[in-house]
Amino acid sequence: MRTLIAALVVTAIVYGTGRPYQARAASWKMGAMMGTVNLAVPFVTTTIALQYASSGFNGLLIALVPIGTAVLAHYVLPDEPIYRAKVTGLSIAFVGVVFLLASGDSGLATGGRPLVAAPLTVIAVVSIAYAGIYAKQRQEHFDPVRLTGMQLIVGTAWVVPLALITEGAPPVPTLWGWMLVGYVSIAGSVLPFLFFYWVLQRTTTTVASLTAYVVPLISLVSGIVLLDERLDPGIAVGGALIIAGLVVIDRFERRRTLVTTRVVG
């Protein structure tokens, strides 16, 4: 329902602004790729992961997207190499992940199964990181609004049949339920994808993905306040290390970008 509503909203924007979808095969090929690796795969795996660990736990692992992006970019994009500061940040964050998993804390009062949730979330991390690299390589050939719409259409084509096969037709939501679905459709799908593709055309892939380190804070706080999830010691320490590693990468990446801009200028 989320992807369907989001697809309809963006399609209305596309045609309302007078720039309809292009019929070119190359455009839809990219839309199909992004709809699969940047939407369908991470949406499905992270949703299943939430059955086994708290939103805070999974949010911390999702924060590894910039790390996965930095590693992939090093091998694929010649202008985004790994340097000493990146290695330092990656190492700190990796220690945080190890601590997080070794503690066995899930953040759920019922105990949960973090070792089941973690691989599912890591699949999402790798998929999202690859999607960013793929889009960056083709940044001159897409319009953010059109690409977001095509991605949502393809994602809907994947997710809706899968949901109907595995869970059947959904019950009719209440008014509050419709409001929640509408919120996650706009705030959780339309706006993030639009902003991501817009930013991706104007900076490095690593910098564009660094917004992911905002996710853990929101996930942890909202999970504790709204869902009575627990801030277990393992989650607190492991999460702090992951965030510290991302901050190191963020600061040096911004400094490097600033220096490069000045030199080019």
Side-chain angles (χ1 to χ4, degrees):
M1 294 173 68
R2 168 184 178 178
T3 57
L4 178 59
I5 292 174
L8 292 174
V9 169
V10 178
T11 298
I13 294 174
V14 166
Y15 284 93
T17 54
R19 43 183 176 183
Y21 296 124
Q22 299 173 331
R24 293 186 305 171
S27 297
W28 280 100
K29 178 182 177 181
M30 185 172 183
M33 175 62 74
M34 303 309 291
T36 302
V37 299
N38 205 32
L39 193 153
V41 171
F43 272 25
V44 171
T45 57
T46 54
T47 301
I48 297 174
L50 286 171
Q51 312 303 310
Y52 301 102
S54 68
S55 59
F57 176 94
N58 289 292
L60 287 168
L61 291 180
I62 283 293
L64 295 174
V65 167
I67 295 175
T69 301
V71 173
L72 287 176
H74 172 74
Y75 294 102
V76 179
L77 302 176
D79 57 341
E80 295 190 34
I82 287 182
Y83 46 88
R84 184 176 300 177
K86 274 189 179 182
V87 174
T88 301
L90 292 171
S91 300
I92 295 173
F94 179 75
V95 172
V97 173
V98 172
F99 193 96
L100 182 68
L101 298 180
S103 69
D105 294 333
S106 70
L108 296 178
T110 55
R113 299 172 64 185
L115 293 181
V116 175
L120 291 168
T121 307
V122 168
I123 290 174
V125 168
V126 174
S127 186
I128 294 171
Y130 174 76
I133 300 296
Y134 184 89
K136 183 63 176 179
Q137 291 178 308
R138 296 157 180 80
Q139 63 177 353
E140 298 178 356
H141 305 291
F142 69 80
D143 171 77
V145 180
R146 286 198 191 105
L147 181 56
T148 298
M150 289 186 289
Q151 170 183 292
L152 288 165
I153 291 172
V154 174
T156 301
W158 276 114
V159 175
V160 170
L162 180 61
L164 292 175
I165 292 171
T166 59
E167 299 179 349
V172 178
T174 62
L175 176 60
W176 177 244
W178 278 117
M179 292 173 63
L180 290 175
V181 173
Y183 170 76
V184 296
S185 298
I186 305 300
S189 295
V190 175
L191 295 180
F193 288 132
L194 281 174
F195 292 151
F196 173 72
Y197 290 129
W198 185 86
V199 171
L200 192 64
Q201 292 180 323
R202 291 161 174 80
T203 186
T204 66
T205 317
T206 303
V207 170
S209 67
L210 282 171
T211 52
Y213 76 69
V214 179
V215 173
L217 178 61
I218 298 174
S219 298
L220 283 169
V221 173
S222 59
I224 292 170
V225 173
L226 301 176
L227 302 175
D228 295 323
E229 294 178 349
R230 304 180 306 185
L231 182 58
D232 294 324
I235 293 178
V237 176
L241 289 170
I242 292 173
I243 299 303
L246 291 172
V247 169
V248 169
I249 296 174
D250 179 29
R251 291 181 64 87
F252 281 91
E253 186 71 13
R254 290 177 186 275
R255 183 180 302 175
R256 175 176 174 271
T257 302
L258 179 62
V259 171
T260 302
T261 301
R262 288 177 176 175
V263 171
V264 172

